[in-house]
Amino acid sequence: MIRNSPPRSNEGSHEERGVTELLSFILIFAIVLTSVVLVGLVGFQAVEDYHESERLANAERAVDTFATNGNEFVRSDAVTHRSGDVRVRGGTISPGEEGTNLEITVSDNSGNELWAWNDEYGSDDLGAFVYDSGDASETIAYVGGGVFRESDGSSAVVSEPMFTCREETDTAMISLVKIDDDSRSIQSAEATEFEMEHRDSTREFFDEDIDSVEIEVNDGPYADGWEMYFENDDSWESMGSNQWRCGDPSNDLDRVSIDVVEIDIDYESPDDD
């Protein structure tokens, strides 16, 4: 006897496949959406970092150009005035901030002081022309003739100051730009013209009975940048953690020159027009 079995139903398997396909679609969609979000976030941050890096690089070049103009006061007595435009672009420029405090001493063979910074300027620091980027907590500063970049409390040399120690000729030349204090600052998207004007000069020259020139980096902003400069210059002999000497103890210096030029920096904001 042949029995007729009812046909099998495929409804269950169709439903299972439908659920599986739906789950697969949801999973793939979630992966794609997550990838798009991650790429967007990472890409946006990369673009922001790039723009910030470019802004700092442009500011660095602008301050370096400003420093070149400022150092002309030291190189030539005929220079009494210089001007130049600096575009702030969202940062802040302060033309007379606190600078590094150096102690410079020229001594003779008997250990007597021929010249000392403290005798001439007391406790005055060098002053600084400072660009502050703001959000990035980075500053770029023209200090004493050099340009320094500071980030998170640590600074590095961008452009070296005008110091020379030559052992082969037993010569030391110290040239500094001292910027007078000015508590004003400016923030503008437009280019700002800064005026530099000669105020005073100290020029000393010694050519006999010279034992050494000693420099101590005391304190103030960008002090570690100055220390880095001396550490990387083999012609200056280290005397401690923050002291350096030009002059071999067994051999006197033949010539030493000291040039300190004081300048005033003023500006006219385009917003004032």
Side-chain angles (χ1 to χ4, degrees):
M1 184 178 195
I2 299 175
R3 294 183 179 179
N4 293 325
S5 300
R8 293 185 178 181
S9 175
N10 293 325
E11 293 180 0
S13 59
H14 285 314
E15 291 178 358
E16 291 176 0
R17 281 198 301 269
V19 172
T20 302
E21 291 174 357
L22 178 60
L23 291 176
S24 298
F25 173 78
I26 294 174
L27 181 60
I28 293 173
F29 179 79
I31 293 173
V32 171
L33 181 61
T34 302
S35 300
V36 170
V37 172
L38 289 176
V39 169
L41 290 175
V42 173
F44 180 77
Q45 185 61 48
V47 170
E48 286 293 307
D49 292 344
Y50 173 78
H51 286 164
E52 181 63 26
S53 178
E54 279 296 298
R55 185 161 69 96
L56 289 172
N58 290 334
E60 190 174 291
R61 286 190 290 269
V63 175
D64 200 35
T65 300
F66 185 90
T68 299
N69 289 327
N71 289 347
E72 289 296 318
F73 289 94
V74 175
R75 298 189 176 101
S76 174
D77 291 336
V79 177
T80 60
H81 178 272
R82 279 287 186 267
S83 64
D85 292 342
V86 178
R87 189 175 294 275
V88 181
R89 290 185 178 178
T92 302
I93 286 184
S94 302
E97 287 290 302
E98 178 187 3
T100 312
N101 188 297
L102 301 180
E103 170 55 26
I104 305 170
T105 306
V106 183
S107 302
D108 65 15
N109 294 325
S110 300
N112 300 315
E113 291 183 356
L114 296 174
W115 188 88
W117 174 275
N118 282 349
D119 293 340
E120 192 75 30
Y121 298 103
S123 60
D124 286 0
D125 59 80
L126 292 171
F129 178 87
V130 179
Y131 170 86
D132 189 336
S133 66
D135 293 340
S137 300
E138 294 212 30
T139 60
I140 301 165
Y142 171 48
V143 186
V147 178
F148 301 85
R149 184 168 177 166
E150 183 176 54
S151 176
D152 297 326
S154 177
S155 57
V157 183
V158 174
S159 180
E160 294 184 348
M162 298 175 288
F163 282 23
T164 301
C165 177
R166 295 177 179 166
E167 296 180 355
E168 64 276 11
T169 58
D170 297 318
T171 301
M173 292 180 287
I174 308 297
S175 300
L176 287 165
V177 175
K178 184 177 183 295
I179 300 173
D180 287 340
D181 292 341
D182 188 332
S183 59
R184 295 177 300 168
S185 61
I186 181 172
Q187 186 175 28
S188 173
E190 302 296 327
T192 304
E193 183 176 6
F194 287 87
E195 302 283 342
M196 291 176 280
E197 189 171 353
H198 177 271
R199 180 178 180 182
D200 201 358
S201 296
T202 296
R203 301 190 185 277
E204 301 285 351
F205 182 77
F206 307 96
D207 60 359
E208 59 182 18
D209 299 328
I210 313 163
D211 177 59
S212 66
V213 175
E214 296 181 4
I215 298 178
E216 180 177 355
V217 181
N218 286 332
D219 52 23
Y222 318 102
D224 52 347
W226 281 90
E227 292 175 7
M228 180 185 296
Y229 161 72
F230 286 113
E231 290 170 359
N232 292 334
D233 191 335
D234 295 335
S235 59
W236 290 90
E237 178 188 355
S238 176
M239 300 175 62
S241 60
N242 62 339
Q243 292 179 291
W244 289 266
R245 169 192 176 111
C246 180
D248 189 336
S250 63
N251 190 28
D252 296 341
L253 290 172
D254 292 335
R255 291 177 296 278
V256 172
S257 66
I258 303 290
D259 293 315
V260 182
V261 175
E262 299 178 60
I263 64 173
D264 289 322
I265 301 176
D266 201 358
Y267 64 86
E268 181 179 354
S269 171
D271 299 334
D272 296 336
D273 295 340

